[in-house]
Amino acid sequence: GVITGVITARTLGPRDRGLFQLLTLLPVTLSNFAKLGIPQANVYFMRRRGAAPSDIASNSLWYALGLGGVLALVCYAGRHWLLANVLKQAPESVLPPVLALIPFVLLQAFLLGLLQAEERFAEYSFQQVAPTVLGLVGMSVALLWLKAGLIGAVLTQTGVVAIVTVWLAFRVHRRAPLRF
């Protein structure tokens, strides 16, 4: 994480580094309002009520896609206000990949609750470390080799979060099949 921070600070400069931080924190901040206690509820219902992991995982998937999708669409509809008041000086082109992260961030939070309930702490820990390692590799390629700037950093971050979340969903699906 420290090395990735140094790479982004040196290659993006103060202005774009600040914008990058603001842009990558936006989906996390928005998802905190949309979680609605579901990660904790997942643990509670599995451990105390004996809910089936497949039911919890499927419910989490659909809630994440629904809540995250609606939140992303609302933010996109209000993008002009968002860009003028919150994301000042950010180019409009970086907003769609950032907003696309919201369902992924929600799904990751919901499924991590499931891993906790199943006491799958090795996988839980892997999900905490993998984004940092992939981010280091991705940022090195995007910023040092390709010199892609802010948009490259945002796309790399989006890709890393999406890959890690899809991997998590795949791992959960193997033990708790996701269904409609």
Side-chain angles (χ1 to χ4, degrees):
V2 170
I3 296 169
T4 304
V6 169
I7 291 170
T8 56
R10 294 290 183 186
T11 57
L12 294 177
R15 179 186 171 275
D16 283 352
R17 171 73 162 118
L19 283 173
F20 176 70
Q21 282 301 114
L22 188 60
L23 289 163
T24 56
L25 286 176
L26 182 67
V28 175
T29 303
L30 292 173
S31 71
N32 282 333
F33 292 107
K35 284 182 189 174
L36 305 174
I38 292 172
Q40 295 83 359
N42 286 349
V43 174
Y44 173 78
F45 277 98
M46 284 181 66
R47 300 300 292 174
R48 301 283 182 164
R49 300 274 177 113
S54 184
D55 291 343
I56 297 293
S58 299
N59 190 47
S60 295
L61 174 67
W62 295 113
Y63 268 114
L65 293 177
L67 289 171
V70 167
L71 187 55
L73 289 173
V74 166
C75 288
Y76 188 74
R79 69 187 173 280
H80 298 295
W81 180 89
L82 199 60
L83 288 166
N85 296 300
V86 179
L87 303 172
K88 296 178 181 179
Q89 300 178 358
E92 190 170 342
S93 62
V94 298
L95 197 56
V98 166
L99 295 178
L101 280 176
I102 296 171
F104 288 103
V105 171
L106 281 173
L107 181 59
Q108 195 173 78
F110 295 169
L111 293 181
L112 286 174
L114 184 133
L115 291 181
Q116 287 176 320
E118 290 187 324
E119 297 179 1
R120 293 165 58 181
F121 296 114
E123 288 182 70
Y124 181 91
S125 297
F126 176 79
Q127 288 298 129
Q128 303 301 315
V129 174
T132 305
V133 173
L134 290 174
L136 173 61
V137 172
M139 290 300 173
S140 297
V141 169
L143 298 177
L144 297 175
W145 186 36
L146 298 176
K147 303 203 183 303
L150 179 62
I151 189 70
V154 168
L155 290 174
T156 299
Q157 182 67 21
T158 300
V160 165
V161 172
I163 287 167
V164 169
T165 305
V166 169
W167 175 251
L168 173 61
F170 173 75
R171 297 289 301 161
V172 167
H173 177 68
R174 289 181 65 192
R175 288 179 66 180
L178 298 167
R179 54 183 195 269
F180 293 105

